[in-house]
Amino acid sequence: SDINAYALIRFGSFCKRTPLVPGADPEWDFEFQIPGLNAGDLMSITVYDRKKGSEDLPLGEVLVEFDELGQDT
């Protein structure tokens, strides 16, 4: 079946959803700011396949730890 992917980006109480991208190899050109980011903080990115009429299917997750400059390590 066709994949319609989106990602949920979570950091503490912050949660942002990306636009839906069709296809098995999605790419997002997506920018946003995260308030209150500190060294050692973890951000979770979970990619889902949007399923109409049923629960969305998780496809994968990654945790990103940020260094003191706010860049991923």
Side-chain angles (χ1 to χ4, degrees), residues 2 5 9 11 14-15 20 26 28 32-33 38 46 49 57 60-61 63 67-68 70 72:
D2 293 329
I9 297 124
F11 166 74
F14 175 87
C15 185
L20 198 64
W28 290 273
F32 60 94
Q33 292 187 2
N38 296 303
T46 308
D49 181 10
L57 177 66
E61 181 178 29
L63 294 175
D67 66 16
E68 66 277 355
D72 60 289

Side-chain angles (χ1 to χ4, degrees), residues 17-71:
R17 180 179 166 162
T18 66
L20 198 64
V21 176
D25 191 18
E27 291 185 27
W28 290 273
D29 184 10
F30 183 74
E31 293 183 18
F32 60 94
Q33 292 187 2
I34 302 173
L37 187 64
N38 296 303
D41 287 342
L42 289 176
M43 178 176 64
S44 151
I45 303 170
T46 308
V47 177
Y48 292 89
D49 181 10
R50 175 79 175 111
K51 297 293 185 190
K52 289 185 179 181
S54 65
E55 190 172 333
D56 294 352
L57 177 66
L59 299 176
E61 181 178 29
V62 64
L63 294 175
V64 179
E65 182 178 354
F66 289 85
D67 66 16
E68 66 277 355
L69 299 175
Q71 307 209 354

